[in-house]
Amino acid sequence: MSRAPQEDPRQDAPEVSAPKTSAVGIPAVLNSMRVVGRQAGAGRGLLTLVDVNQKKGFDCPGCAWPEPEKRHSAEFCENGAKAVAEEATRRAVTREFFAEHGVADLAGRSGYWLGQQGRITEPVYLAPGATHYAPVSWEQAFDIVAEDLNGLDSPDEALFYTSGRTSNEAAFLYQLFARKLGTNNLPDCSNMCHESSGSALGETLGVGKGSVSLKDLYQADLIIVAGQNPGTNHPRMLMALEKAKQEGARIITVNPLPEAGMQRFRNPQTARGVLGSGTMLTDLFLQVRLGGDLALFSALNRLMLQMEEQRPGSVLDRDFIEEHCHGFEEYRGALLETEEEAFWARVHESTGLERAEIDEALAMVLAAKKVVVCWAMGLTQHKHSVPTIREIVNFLLMRGNVGRPGAGVCPVRGHSNVQGDRTMGIFERPDATFLDALSAEFGFEPPREHGHDVVRAIEAMGTGSAKVFFAMGGNFVSASPDTHATEEAMRRCALTVHVSTKLNRSHAITGARALILPALGRTDHDLTGGAEQFVTVEDSMGMVHASRGSVKPLSDGMRSEVAIVSGLARRVLGADDDIPWEEFAGDYDLIRDRIERVVPGFDDFNARVRNPSGFALPHAPRDERRFPTATGKANFTANGLAAPEIPAGRLLLQTLRSHDQYNTTIYGLDDRYRGIHNGRRVVLVNPQDAAELGLVDGSYTDLVSEWTDGVERRAPHFKVVHYPTARGCAAAYYPETNVLVPLGSTADISNTPTSKSVVVRFVADSGDYQPV
Ligand SMILES: Nc1nc2c(c(=O)[nH]1)N[C@H]1C(S)=C(S)[C@@H](COP(=O)(O)OP(=O)(O)OC[C@H]3O[C@@H](n4cnc5c(=O)[nH]c(N)nc54)[C@H](O)[C@@H]3O)O[C@H]1N2
Ligand SMILES: Nc1nc2c(c(=O)[nH]1)N[C@H]1C(S)=C(S)[C@@H](COP(=O)(O)OP(=O)(O)OC[C@H]3O[C@@H](n4cnc5c(=O)[nH]c(N)nc54)[C@H](O)[C@@H]3O)O[C@H]1N2
Ligand SMILES: [Mo]
């Protein structure tokens, strides 16, 4: 067994070198081998990697990027390897560990240290007033949860959070349990992630998911990648982009940061990538200001409308607009309304781009018959995210770029099954059709009132109107905005329960009582009910396939998420409850039979998912150019020209991921591509802004965010790094900076925290800080 690190490294010694201009290649392969060897030991680790994303293996617990039909023998990336190594580790958190480390001790550790301790091996309980977690049996644990849930005045005093790794089967049972209990309080990580995409796409196209497949990317003439860092967060996407380029596509990258992965890609699976200089991915880099994308796409759209006016029939796909779209004339009127000079002044101010750059982008758009737009958190976590994504839909609709090969919307999802969880009904605002189907299948009346999303859940705990917090995975305390407010809210709960694989900060910030329930992960061999079980997941492009773990679980004390939900539901709902929870846990096929009858698109689920490549869920806009919106057509929408305001002497801060983390799981203290090593408390600032603000390269500063409620939110001791980010914009890592994101600062409509636009000022370094 490898030893866990004893020291908690302080994350305050960052060293800085020049950012890289290419990604992947041999260093990435070496790095993944190192990580895997360290965590899992060479044999177990390599055996595990052989199975990643293979047709008979397990779905990588890293990102949600789809697998190509023709799989490479190593269909994983450096960061997928790290995700696998984290989970397949031999390090174990035992009862001796909990006896040695009390909750106060755990609360003083960094998330990095907590994660490095290894897999949780048996259920543990923190009794009222106790200082340490102590082992309990699964039956005792279920009794404790049942006691609190059944003692509530209303089921709406309970919250059931989900992170996006939960399988379809477990997610389906989990939402069924919550609704049978009587609540729609099903907040999930999506609320902080792609909720803005779902809101915008649902309203405009009728389906809140992406409309492209991998094949469409390969066939596109132009791919726009906006607000996304695939080199780190979706490395296998670089292979798809490389292939698209080889087929003749051009790429526009829109980002305040020049991310290495979007510059040059060195594919480790080809000789050219290993020995040669790799592939230049980006043809045009638009270094937009944070939150400037709405103005950018509005500018492109206005130019297209004006050209069409001058030369009718030259730009727009008139037939498509007439036959399939609604609201075009109103949209056109609204976008052309602003007077020319004022419009362009606003665009320049919001984007920081020159007119010539926008003209160059436009020329590339007009030269392309088939366009795909890809995006991730850079577009979804702003106040005006929903209008921004709606404007991208306008952009695509104008030239008929939805619902035909080589074109469409591509919101690139994060967690490996976050999209599937939503399909299974993990949603605080389920639609009536879904609830009706659930009701017909299981013979009960599910609650119809909307439940709490993440931000409202925190507010409800804060005011005491929610008392039990139950999490199916994730790290709610560290992933949520406004860390201090969130921690205070969690501490007010009567009971907090986490179904987890590894320790994290949410286990240390507890309600009056707390439980940690250890779950099998994606890599673990699942023998629930005495037979080998598999689960299913849905990727970012709506493909559903099976996932089978192959690693022998570290301990018999862990249970599958399906077994945990089934056992808990039986205990809470009682022996009389007529849902056959035990049968579901004994044979996951029986769960899939029920999913088939409740969720559209899963016909013949058990048979089709045994096809090694899985199957595609139907998507009306993509498959038949049918738009199931309120108007029955694809909707054009007028979105205005809003952009974040940056007061004088302040910068706009985005909180993002380093190369060595998976959300709140920190793999290491380097961010290789950006040239940051051995530390995470850095703030990247444009040198000209730094000069104006007196921020010396290498000096230390505190960050203080500004919000209308007047509360001081401070993140101490960040090293200033002069970096080529867009003017007026700064960047620092999540979750260290979540303390700065005000709970009340959320996107219009989607209510997603504005993690990519926080107004900050810089004040004298106060030195010490709490580990995050
Ligand atoms: N290895 C690894 N893989 C992951 C994750 C991980 O943490 N580690 N997380 C997973 C999850 S849950 C998700 S949601 C995804 C996240 O994937 P990303 O969205 O790529 O993650 P972020 O690090 O938040 O990066 C945001 C990117 O958008 C840019 N950006 C920020 N604001 C703006 C803006 O206003 N406009 C534009 N045009 N660009 C902007 C940033 O500079 C950065 O390049 O990755 C998933 N995959
Ligand atoms: N400031 C800021 N905040 C953000 C973001 C940002 O960009 N900036 N991004 C947001 C986004 S996009 C997201 S998706 C959220 C992520 O929010 P979460 O999904 O809540 O957070 P993670 O860090 O992914 O959760 C990691 C924990 O999940 C548990 N885990 C891992 N695998 C499994 C499993 O298979 N089963 C179970 N039961 N548990 C498991 C482990 O205990 C691990 O510690 O954070 C959001 N928060
Ligand atoms: Mo995410």
Side-chain angles (χ1 to χ4, degrees), residues 73-85:
S73 58
E75 194 55 61
F76 61 89
C77 65
E78 175 193 0
N79 277 344
K82 290 183 205 161
V84 168

Side-chain angles (χ1 to χ4, degrees), residues 303-371:
L303 288 170
M304 290 200 281
L305 290 175
Q306 289 170 336
M307 287 179 74
E308 175 77 10
E309 249 171 38
Q310 283 161 12
R311 301 212 335 263
S314 64
V315 176
L316 301 184
D317 183 341
R318 287 273 173 194
D319 294 342
F320 173 74
I321 294 173
E322 226 148 85
E323 193 182 335
H324 293 290
C325 301
H326 173 270
F328 174 69
E329 286 307 325
E330 294 85 333
Y331 166 67
R332 199 175 66 100
L335 189 55
L336 293 177
E337 196 177 58
T338 318
E339 176 273 322
E340 193 74 1
E341 206 170 309
F343 180 86
W344 285 103
R346 185 90 180 111
V347 168
H348 178 68
E349 186 192 317
S350 309
T351 62
L353 298 171
E354 297 302 329
R355 175 65 190 266
E357 296 175 280
I358 296 178
D359 284 339
E360 196 179 340
L362 180 70
M364 290 169 72
V365 171
L366 294 177
K369 287 210 177 68
K370 296 166 284 180
V371 181

Side-chain angles (χ1 to χ4, degrees), residues 87 120 161 163-166 189-190 192-193 377 381 415 472-476 478-480 499-504 507 519-522 561 655-657 662-665 734-735 737-738 741 755-756:
E87 195 176 287
I120 304 160
Y161 176 71
S163 166
R165 283 199 191 175
T166 296
C189 69
S190 258
M192 302 183 268
C193 185
M377 296 305 100
Q381 298 176 334
H415 266 303
M472 185 54 72
N475 180 2
F476 191 84
S478 299
S480 294
V499 177
S500 308
T501 52
K502 304 274 276 311
L503 280 181
N504 61 50
H507 305 128
L520 296 180
R522 202 61 71 66
E561 292 181 348
T655 61
L656 43 44
R657 292 157 173 79
Y662 192 94
N663 297 340
T664 69
T665 300
Y734 135 71
T737 45
N738 283 40
V741 185
S755 307
K756 295 290 189 277

